[in-house]
Amino acid sequence: EAAVTQSPRSKVAVTGGKVTLSCHQTNNHDYMYWYRQDTGHGLRLIHYSYVADSTEKGDIPDGYKASRPSQENFSLILELASLSQTAVYFCASSRRDRGPEVFFGKGTRLTVV
Amino acid sequence: GDQVEQSPSALSLHEGTGSALRCNFTTTMRAVQWFRKNSRGSLINLFYLASGTKENGRLKSAFDSKERYSTLHIRDAQLEDSGTYFCAAFDTNAYKVIFGKGTHLHVLP
């Protein structure tokens, strides 16, 4: 079974502080994604990457940066955390093929206070 | 508008009964995936379909790309089936997964 590991699993951050969420996959997948989940909005794509050292903006990239230093690792960075960024964040990975399955991490609950 | 419309948004079932969740797509999608988010917040893959139907235990899913919909049938619901179910559609032209807003399923004893 494909594995996607997120860390930390939960975090409390102070408004204006920097937050880094990490994701590691052992699937040898090309694509990696960061989503946030808010009640009533389902899952929304923040950033994604299809190759190391390159990231792409998703649907809601404002306030977030992403980094893909290697095929296995994909980080989501909040330079100046805000209250509105309180949410659950999911990392995922998938193969390059058309119509691949997506494998998700267990999620990170971020609370900004 | 939303490319993926998931219904119902909430559903209560008594144990032993069943129902169906549905996702309608505004455009042709190449595949669909169904997930369940459990009480701990983890997302569990249920089905991935590029066409046709798949069945696993008490769950059965169907995907019709031409008619632009997918369904997830639950039969003989159990308490542990409670959670939020999401469908996710794979767009044919962009390498992006588009999620429905979820169905909150509550199984009652």
Side-chain angles (χ1 to χ4, degrees):
Chain A
E1 177 72 13
V4 178
T5 305
Q6 292 181 231
S7 62
R9 291 296 315 280
S10 67
K11 183 174 180 64
V12 179
V14 177
T15 301
K18 182 177 181 178
V19 177
T20 299
L21 307 183
S22 299
C23 181
H24 178 80
Q25 55 107 352
T26 58
N27 310 323
N28 198 33
H29 285 170
D30 297 296
Y31 283 75
M32 295 187 75
Y33 312 82
W34 276 106
Y35 295 90
R36 66 176 280 172
Q37 199 237 335
D38 303 274
T39 304
H41 287 279
L43 285 155
R44 293 181 292 173
L45 181 64
I46 307 171
H47 286 287
Y48 66 100
S49 167
Y50 52 83
V51 68
D53 294 322
S54 177
T55 64
E56 305 293 331
K57 293 181 179 179
D59 298 321
I60 53 163
D62 293 344
Y64 303 94
K65 289 171 59 177
S67 173
R68 183 92 181 269
S70 64
Q71 186 190 41
E72 297 79 19
N73 296 295
F74 191 37
S75 298
L76 185 68
I77 302 151
L78 290 67
E79 295 280 2
L80 296 169
S82 66
L83 295 174
S84 64
Q85 293 176 312
T86 293
V88 179
Y89 292 83
F90 287 96
C91 175
S93 73
S94 68
R95 298 195 319 266
R96 180 189 298 274
D97 315 53
R98 290 169 60 86
E101 285 187 80
V102 180
F103 295 88
F104 282 85
K106 293 182 182 296
T108 296
R109 182 174 297 277
L110 174 65
T111 304
V112 182
V113 297
Chain B
D2 293 340
Q3 289 182 272
V4 177
E5 294 181 359
Q6 186 171 343
S7 62
S9 58
L11 178 64
S12 292
L13 293 176
H14 284 286
E15 271 187 298
T17 64
S19 189
L21 314 181
R22 186 177 177 101
C23 281
N24 291 325
F25 315 120
T26 56
T27 62
T28 301
M29 301 294 180
R30 78 170 72 128
V32 69
Q33 194 167 352
W34 285 92
F35 305 89
R36 185 178 77 243
K37 182 166 169 269
N38 63 18
S39 58
R40 296 187 300 278
S42 296
L43 281 174
I44 302 164
N45 291 339
L46 298 176
F47 295 104
Y48 169 77
L49 301 99
S51 65
T53 63
K54 285 187 179 179
E55 190 166 358
N56 184 4
R58 297 177 289 100
L59 299 178
K60 182 177 180 179
S61 183
F63 173 54
D64 190 325
S65 176
K66 184 178 178 183
E67 297 300 322
R68 301 181 180 177
Y69 77 90
S70 178
T71 56
L72 177 69
H73 292 260
I74 302 171
R75 62 176 176 84
D76 187 26
Q78 303 297 305
L79 294 176
E80 59 265 28
D81 294 333
S82 294
T84 303
Y85 290 75
F86 292 96
C87 70
F90 296 83
D91 190 276
T92 55
N93 297 317
Y95 224 100
K96 203 161 71 171
V97 182
I98 307 161
F99 285 84
K101 292 186 176 177
T103 297
H104 301 280
L105 173 64
H106 185 197
V107 180
L108 306 167

